Amino acid sequence: QVQLVESGGGLVQPGGSLRLSCAASGFTFSNYAMNWYRQAPGKERELVATISSAGRSTIYIGSVKGRFAISRDNAKKSIYLQMNNLKPEDTAVYYCSVNYIRTYWGQGTQVTVSS
């Protein structure tokens, strides 16, 4: 049973930082690339960052490049998203996902960037 559980979201002021976590189970974690998506109110879900199975390759959407960093700890079966210099435009529900048999999603964690 694949499970993805995000945590770490919350309310933060512009310019602040937040670190999201995703705990995974139910599959051989180290064999799969992992993704962070987000969905802002009234907008389509978009891919934010991807990390390869060994953690050596990462890809970011242009708007977050240089501010966000995806990482993984295969021993802990977790991925992380370090978000720095947060902007109001980053406000969204953030989802962890994996392509395994089908695409699996976590429940999401709310990130709100506001003064």
Side-chain angles (χ1 to χ4, degrees):
Q1 187 79 35
V2 173
Q3 289 194 61
L4 303 169
V5 181
E6 301 96 334
S7 62
L11 175 63
V12 65
Q13 295 182 2
S17 297
L18 215 53
R19 183 177 173 87
L20 306 183
S21 298
C22 171
S25 62
F27 62 100
T28 305
F29 181 79
S30 62
N31 285 353
Y32 292 88
M34 298 289 293
N35 315 294
W36 283 103
Y37 280 78
R38 69 185 181 187
Q39 187 166 26
K43 297 183 179 179
E44 295 295 310
R45 187 173 298 188
E46 65 178 353
L47 179 65
V48 176
T50 297
I51 187 166
S52 61
S53 60
R56 291 191 289 270
S57 180
T58 58
I59 300 173
Y60 300 90
I61 190 173
S63 61
V64 309
K65 196 167 186 177
R67 298 189 297 119
F68 290 11
I70 187 172
S71 61
R72 68 190 295 157
D73 185 334
N74 284 350
K76 294 182 178 179
K77 299 180 181 179
S78 296
I79 66 165
Y80 309 92
L81 187 67
Q82 179 65 47
M83 305 184 294
N84 298 322
N85 191 24
L86 282 160
K87 304 176 185 298
E89 308 88 77
D90 297 318
T91 295
V93 177
Y94 284 72
Y95 298 91
C96 177
S97 81
V98 60
N99 292 333
Y100 172 76
I101 301 175
R102 63 169 179 85
T103 300
Y104 287 87
W105 305 90
Q107 83 289 346
T109 185
Q110 176 71 49
V111 172
T112 302
V113 185
S114 176
S115 298

